Amino acid sequence: MAERGRVTTTEEDISGSSLPAARRAGLLVTLVLGGLTALPPLSMDMYLPALPQVTDMLRAPAATVQLTLTACLAGMALGQLVVGPMSDKWGRRRPLLVGMLVYVAATAVCAFAPGVELLVAFRLLQGLAGAAGIVIARAVVRDLYDGVEMARFFSTLMLISGVAPIVAPLIGGQILRITDWRGVFHALAVVGLLLTLVVWRYLHETLPPERRHSGGVGQALRTMRGLLADRVFTGYMLAGGLAFAALFAYITASPFVVQDLYGASPQTFGLLFGLNSIGLVAVGQINGKLLVGRVSLDKALGLGLTVITLAAGALVLMTAGVFGEVGLAGIAAGLFVLMSAMGLAMPNTNALALMRTPHAAGSASALLGTSSFLIGALVSPLVGIAGEATAVPMAVVQLSCAVAALGCFLLLCRPWRTAKAPAL
């Protein structure tokens, strides 16, 4: 393992050329990884303003249409369990390219789906294939960085990938001005194809053959079992997954809450969603530029989870009418605080967990991603359990997830006394 904060592969491993070229490739790799981590929010958020339209055009209940989000999320969760160990065995590049090609094909089929059932099925396939970009991007970061530098790099990725949720609903809203919801999937297919070409051209292999695992499925399962047996790793994994579930409850419910309950247009919804994403990105940069290296990662993570819990509690009180009729402004303010605090929770849970897994980055990344997406997929249907006439279920789900995340962090990670030695 390389010294903390240093690249763990040689400059030739990254670029295949001289030092100046390697430095240029480092910037390109950062942009490519940012694009890969931006693809999931693009896939989810460009589609959000179209949910009410899909409900009308396909003549399906809102709860059924929300399954198109759940299916994509579940696919991203399950796909990572397959792609992560594959990348530890065969390297990062080949599984990533195959996954991206399948993503493009599945997205194109979604654009022509005649009914909600087929749309749900191919959203699942889209998620399964798109999982390659998520899990391999994190594994590449673990290949290249360690310790504080890894936490900083995750915050940098959040800056790049954070542009996606800012612009995606705005782009989706503008697409709906000139075409219907199918145009959103046409645009996503083009984005996926362009990203595939960029990956093929610029992302070089970061896992040399001597560091790859030679075992098959059995070895991958044993590796994951060993990771889950580490109490601290599991604590970070669950804390990050539950925090993400609180975020995904917002993603799933907000189109109906903002547009149907409060009468906002798709363009207004996109603007509010973008502002929340700006908050998340800004706090993520504060974490990477100011806090990391000065404040322990555990303290920053604990602060983020606490703020998320307080914001979710305030949303429960507001949506339940405890403060009277607060209107869209009050709800938007609570969601802004909750989303912004994710900028502390998300990069630090990833960094703290991966710091313990230097020899199984792909499998560890798969478990981190799978837990987040799977918990989010299981939780998201609960936000519509009371119908479309109230935002209380959204707030209650967010508060429940936030309290559970904070509890896992404190009870399992025990940050006040746990040594940060690697698990493997």
Side-chain angles (χ1 to χ4, degrees), residues 18-35:
S18 62
L19 181 60
R23 288 174 176 167
R24 291 196 298 271
L27 175 60
L28 290 172
V29 167
T30 301
L31 295 175
V32 172
L33 295 179

Side-chain angles (χ1 to χ4, degrees), residues 215-412:
V217 175
Q219 177 61 39
L221 293 177
R222 285 191 293 272
T223 299
M224 290 186 177
R225 185 168 62 247
L227 292 171
L228 292 174
D230 175 23
R231 169 179 51 80
V232 180
F233 174 85
T234 301
Y236 290 130
M237 180 188 74
L238 291 176
L242 288 162
F244 180 82
L247 183 150
F248 194 69
Y250 157 74
I251 292 175
T252 303
S254 59
F256 298 97
V257 170
V258 173
Q259 296 180 75
D260 292 347
L261 293 183
Y262 292 96
S265 67
Q267 290 71 39
T268 300
F269 165 74
L271 177 62
L272 292 176
F273 197 94
L275 290 174
N276 290 338
S277 300
I278 289 174
L280 187 153
V281 171
V283 173
Q285 294 313 293
I286 291 172
N287 176 73
K289 305 298 183 184
L290 300 179
L291 299 183
V292 172
R294 296 180 176 88
V295 178
S296 74
L297 299 184
D298 279 315
K299 288 182 179 179
L301 173 57
L303 174 61
L305 294 176
T306 300
V307 173
I308 291 170
T309 302
L310 294 175
L315 284 168
V316 170
L317 296 177
M318 285 189 289
T319 57
V322 173
F323 303 129
E325 182 61 44
V326 295
L328 179 58
I331 301 298
L335 291 172
F336 178 81
V337 174
L338 186 146
M339 284 282 287
S340 297
M342 294 289 174
L344 291 175
M346 294 169 65
N348 290 324
T349 51
N350 284 331
L352 285 163
L354 288 173
M355 282 169 63
R356 302 181 64 83
T357 61
H359 304 303
S363 296
S365 178
L367 287 174
L368 290 172
T370 296
S371 63
S372 296
F373 285 98
L374 190 57
I375 294 172
L378 292 173
V379 164
S380 62
L382 300 178
V383 300
I385 197 169
E388 304 171 38
T390 175
V392 171
M394 177 191 73
V396 170
V397 168
Q398 289 174 323
L399 179 59
S400 300
C401 292
V403 170
L406 188 58
C408 288
F409 172 62
L410 295 176
L411 296 176
L412 296 178

Side-chain angles (χ1 to χ4, degrees), residues 11 18 45 48 59 63 67 111 117 130 152 156 162 185 218 224 239 377 393:
E11 300 294 347
S18 62
D45 300 341
L48 291 179
R59 299 178 182 178
L67 287 177
E117 294 82 5
R152 287 199 176 106
T156 300
F185 286 106
M224 290 186 177

Side-chain angles (χ1 to χ4, degrees), residues 65-97:
V65 173
Q66 284 177 328
L67 287 177
T68 61
L69 294 176
T70 302
C72 185
L73 196 66
M76 290 179 182
L78 298 176
Q80 292 182 68
L81 286 178
V82 177
V83 177
M86 285 174 58
S87 73
D88 281 340
K89 182 176 181 179
W90 291 311
R92 314 303 185 197
R93 182 175 163 83
R94 283 185 293 172
L96 176 58
L97 287 171

